[in-house]
């Protein structure tokens, strides 16, 4: 066995070990260790990708060298390597870009705890990407949930605590349904490793047995992971969760966490249940309908917002709808479009949240539209970054969002029964995206006008009720007491802009890698 084949296992263990070590470090040292660890994981993931691309096939790594059905397995291929590389790169840029506000928002004595959660989050995401064992997947789904709650509530403000509770309740509902589905699957097949389970499912389908239990398994697993990933109408935890966490946490939760659950669902469809069986169960049609609804309703809710963070958060509801719509098409082309949009959304959402930091730093830490007028001139690179992210979400040519929508449209044309609703939803959602994103771009480049403020009120009152007093104190504070856009924020924004452009202008190699990776999945 080549040393490179150990890298997926090393990546997961390295992330978990960093979390353990960070528990005895100061906040600054824990942050530096996390950044170094994530960069190391990025290098290991790229090496794994290069190895699988060179061999042209995936491979299975036996944990403890015990074969199935007794051992635990990791499986790596092109799709896993691409996803792990992108996720680790987005995570390190999110940590770097938001670390100034992390120091401001989190008590000094608890900053190392925040980076412990970041380390655990990365280890859980890597495990969801690489694992070939269903129970291991469930364990790391729970680790992911706990880490996410810790990242949300670390600010210890009223809205952050209530958001963490809402996130925990809905996440546990999704986890419970997922566990029920796994229990039913184990009862029917007698296996938890994905490859033996797939063989048992294939034999059951050929015999025509357990039709109702198999339908329930597909439905319960799909609904459980849909709740955890925020598919409409299970999205109610998203606005507060993304809107009131620290910028780093918002970028990671929005850009990566929900995508980890979607990746796991795709893996189960291909590697356990069989894509043909999932299509025959009609569950993809249900996901398709809810995906279309999310594309439109998420955008409608985003238009109604007056707080920048909540607008970006509701936009995530719409973008997750795009992904599920692609999965719901039930074709290889639709799945490629969905996975490509996972990458697009990961990069673009991190860019939007990190750029938003620079915009409201330049506006007295206010997030309402009126206070952000002209912020694109006061924080130039942040304004450019937000504009690039907004145009990408709208589908501007040369950006990754344009390629995503092109792939969705092309895959819809190959699916006669779903062609018309898909194209209509794409058109309507694109127009709605343009309404709220371009309105925001126009706002940050508009000259600020005069505004009459009633006694005791600030411009943030209408948008952020629980932080009114903080906004008022910020507006009266000196410029030196506010966080300024530093090299780390500018570096993160610049790198995310380049990533978005690269994914948009050089999309064909990525699409070919996704096609090859999905073939290895099956």
């Amino acid at each position: 066995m080549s040393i490179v084949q150990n890298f997926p296992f090393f990546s997961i263990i390295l992330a978990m070990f960093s979390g353990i070590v960070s528990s005895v470090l100061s906040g600054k040292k824990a942050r530096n260790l996390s950044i170094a660890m994530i960069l190391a994981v990025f290098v290991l993931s790229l090496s794994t990708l290069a190895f699988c691309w060179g061999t042209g096939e995936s491979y299975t790594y036996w944990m403890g060298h015990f074969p199935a059905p007794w051992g635990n397995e990791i499986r790596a291929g092109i799709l896993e390597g691409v996803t792990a590389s992108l996720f680790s790169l987005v995570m390190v840029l999110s940590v770097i870009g938001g670390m100034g506000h992390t120091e401001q928002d989190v008590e000094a004595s608890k900053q190392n705890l925040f980076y412990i959660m970041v380390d655990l989050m990365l280890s859980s995401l890597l495990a969801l990407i690489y694992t070939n064992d269903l129970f291991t997947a469930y364990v790391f789904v729970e680790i992911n949930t706990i880490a996410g709650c810790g990242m949300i509530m670390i600010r210890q403000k009223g809205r952050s605590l209530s958001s963490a509770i809402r996130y925990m309740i809905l996440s546990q509902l999704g986890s419970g349904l997922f566990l029920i589905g796994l229990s039913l699957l184990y009862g029917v097949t007698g296996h938890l490793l994905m490859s033996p389970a797939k063989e048992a499912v294939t034999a059951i389908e050929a015999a025509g047995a357990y039709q109702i239990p198999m339908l329930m398994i597909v439905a319960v697993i799909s609904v459980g992971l849909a709740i955890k990933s925020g598919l409409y109408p299970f999205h109610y935890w998203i606005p507060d969760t993304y809107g009131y966490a620290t910028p780093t946490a918002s970028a990671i939760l929005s850009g990566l966490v929900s995508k980890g659950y979607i990746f796991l669902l795709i893996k189960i469809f291909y590697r356990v249940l069989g894509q043909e069986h999932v299509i025959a169960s009609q569950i993809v049609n249900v996901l398709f309908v809810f995906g279309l609804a999310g594309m439109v309703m998420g955008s409608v809710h985003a238009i109604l917002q007056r707080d920048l963070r909540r607008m970006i958060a509701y936009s995530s509801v719409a973008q997750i709808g795009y992904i599920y719509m692609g999965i719901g098409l039930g074709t290889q082309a639709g799945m490629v479009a969905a996975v490509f949009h996972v990458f697009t959304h990961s990069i673009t959402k991190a860019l939007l949240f990190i750029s938003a930091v620079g915009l409201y730093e330049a506006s007295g830490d206010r997030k309402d539209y009126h206070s952000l007028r002209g912020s694109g001139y006061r924080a130039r690179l942040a304004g450019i970054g937000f504009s690039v992210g907004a145009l990408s979400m709208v589908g501007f040519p040369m950006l990754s969002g344009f390629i995503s929508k092109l792939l969705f449209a092309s895959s819809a044309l190959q699916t006669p029964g779903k062609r018309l609703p898909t194209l209509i939803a794409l058109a309507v959602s694109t127009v709605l995206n343009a309404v709220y994103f371009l309105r925001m771009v126009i706002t940050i480049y508009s000259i600020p006008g005069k505004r009459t403020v009633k006694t005791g009120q600030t411009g943030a009152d209408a948008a952020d009720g629980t932080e009114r007093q903080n906004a008022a104190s910020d507006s009266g504070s000196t410029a030196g007491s506010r966080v300024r856009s530093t090299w780390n924020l500018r570096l993160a924004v610049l790198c995310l802009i380049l990533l978005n452009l690269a994914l948009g202008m050089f999309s064909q190699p990525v699409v070919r890698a996704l096609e090859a990776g999905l073939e290895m999945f099956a």
Side-chain angles (χ1 to χ4, degrees):
M1 175 178 285
S2 170
I3 185 66
V4 178
Q5 292 176 280
N6 294 274
F7 285 177
F9 173 72
F10 289 169
S11 299
I12 298 170
I13 295 301
L14 179 61
M16 297 188 70
F17 184 72
S18 296
I20 296 171
V21 174
S22 295
S23 64
V24 297
L25 299 179
S26 64
K28 184 176 181 180
K29 291 181 179 178
R31 181 197 67 199
N32 293 338
L33 176 62
S34 291
I35 293 174
M37 177 274 296
I38 301 171
L39 288 173
V41 168
F42 174 65
V43 174
L44 294 176
S45 301
L46 278 181
S47 301
T48 302
L49 171 61
F51 177 83
C52 294
W53 190 272
T55 61
E57 57 186 17
S58 61
Y59 67 90
T60 300
Y61 177 90
W62 293 350
M63 304 284 288
H65 302 286
F66 291 105
W70 299 282
N72 199 339
E73 293 182 353
I74 286 175
R75 182 170 171 176
I78 291 176
L79 186 57
E80 291 92 334
V82 172
T83 305
S85 300
L86 182 72
F87 278 21
S88 56
L89 183 57
V90 171
M91 180 169 281
V92 74
L93 292 175
S94 300
V95 171
I96 292 173
M99 65 186 186
H101 266 267
T102 301
E103 295 174 0
Q104 183 191 47
D105 293 337
V106 181
E107 293 180 15
S109 61
K110 297 181 179 179
Q111 287 178 13
N112 68 323
L113 299 179
F114 178 82
Y115 291 106
I116 291 173
M117 297 300 106
V118 171
D119 297 343
L120 292 178
M121 182 67 74
L122 180 59
S123 70
S124 64
L125 288 172
L126 291 171
L128 295 181
I129 290 170
Y130 286 123
T131 186
N132 203 37
D133 178 78
L134 289 168
F135 188 75
T136 300
Y138 170 73
V139 170
F140 280 96
V141 161
E142 292 301 283
I143 293 174
N144 195 300
T145 300
I146 294 170
C149 285
M151 293 172 68
I152 297 165
M153 66 190 305
I154 196 74
R155 292 184 69 187
Q156 293 189 312
K157 293 183 179 180
R159 201 63 179 262
S160 299
L161 294 175
S162 63
S163 301
I165 293 172
R166 185 181 293 110
Y167 176 77
M168 176 64 80
I169 292 172
L170 289 173
S171 289
Q172 289 305 313
L173 174 61
S175 297
L177 291 172
F178 180 60
L179 180 59
I180 290 171
L182 295 189
S183 301
L184 292 172
L185 182 65
Y186 179 72
V188 171
T189 65
H191 294 286
L192 287 173
L193 286 176
M194 294 185 180
S195 300
K198 175 68 175 298
E199 295 175 3
V201 169
T202 302
I204 289 170
E205 292 172 11
Y210 297 111
Q211 294 183 2
I212 300 301
M214 289 304 302
L215 178 61
M216 289 298 299
I217 289 168
V218 176
V220 171
I221 289 177
S222 300
V223 173
L225 293 177
I227 292 173
K228 294 188 71 68
S229 56
L231 174 64
Y232 183 89
F234 313 114
H235 68 286
Y236 292 105
W237 57 270
I238 286 181
D240 286 351
T241 299
Y242 296 173
Y244 297 105
T246 65
T248 292
S250 296
I252 292 173
L253 290 167
S254 177
L256 301 178
V257 173
S258 59
K259 312 310 178 300
Y261 300 133
I262 294 172
F263 191 91
L264 177 60
L265 180 63
I266 295 172
K267 180 188 291 188
I268 291 173
F269 279 0
Y270 272 90
R271 205 176 283 174
V272 180
L273 301 173
Q275 184 72 343
E276 298 80 7
H277 175 66
V278 173
I279 294 172
S281 71
Q282 304 298 317
I283 192 65
V284 292
N285 295 333
V286 177
L287 297 178
F288 177 75
V289 171
F290 284 120
L292 295 182
M295 291 166 61
V296 176
M297 296 307 299
S299 296
V300 170
H301 284 294
I303 291 173
L304 299 176
Q305 302 307 305
R306 292 295 179 269
D307 181 287
L308 175 61
R309 298 169 304 178
R310 289 178 64 84
M311 184 270 283
I312 300 173
Y314 270 112
S315 169
S316 292
V317 177
Q319 303 307 317
I320 290 170
Y322 276 85
I323 297 170
Y324 276 98
M325 181 270 292
I327 295 173
L329 288 174
T331 63
Q332 185 78 352
M335 193 65 75
V336 169
V339 177
F340 189 91
H341 198 63
V342 166
F343 297 166
T344 292
H345 189 250
S346 298
I347 295 171
T348 307
K349 269 299 178 284
L351 174 59
L352 287 169
F353 274 112
I354 297 301
S355 297
V357 174
L359 296 177
Y360 59 72
E361 277 180 356
S363 307
D365 278 344
R366 295 190 181 97
K367 291 87 177 176
D368 62 288
Y369 284 14
H370 185 276
S371 300
L372 290 169
R373 290 175 66 88
S375 58
Y377 297 110
R378 299 191 293 272
R380 294 185 182 277
L381 185 56
I384 294 171
F386 187 89
S387 300
V388 170
L391 292 174
S392 179
M393 288 290 91
V394 173
F396 194 80
M398 297 177 62
L399 299 175
S400 60
F402 172 77
I403 302 299
S404 288
K405 295 191 176 185
L406 183 62
L407 290 173
F408 281 126
S410 300
S411 59
L413 293 175
Q414 302 173 29
T415 315
K418 299 175 181 177
R419 178 188 305 159
L420 187 59
T422 301
L423 295 178
I424 292 174
L426 278 172
V428 172
S429 179
T430 299
V431 171
L432 295 176
N433 289 344
V435 169
Y436 61 87
F437 271 123
L438 296 186
R439 178 181 64 181
M440 193 66 236
V441 172
I442 293 171
T443 297
I444 65 175
Y445 287 108
S446 298
I447 299 175
K450 294 182 179 180
R451 185 184 187 189
T452 302
V453 180
K454 295 181 180 180
T455 304
Q457 292 183 338
T458 68
D461 287 345
D464 195 354
T466 61
E467 297 183 356
R468 292 176 181 176
Q469 294 181 352
N470 293 336
S473 63
D474 283 343
S475 63
S477 62
T478 60
S481 65
R482 294 195 299 268
V483 177
R484 294 291 185 182
S485 295
T486 54
W487 67 268
N488 52 288
L489 190 144
R490 293 193 292 268
L491 173 64
V493 170
L494 182 60
C495 290
L496 288 167
I497 290 173
L498 294 176
L499 272 175
N500 202 304
L501 287 168
L503 196 59
M505 298 176 66
F506 306 101
S507 59
Q508 284 305 308
V510 178
V511 172
R512 287 196 296 269
L514 296 184
E515 292 171 344
L518 287 172
E519 289 179 3
M520 291 182 183
F521 249 30

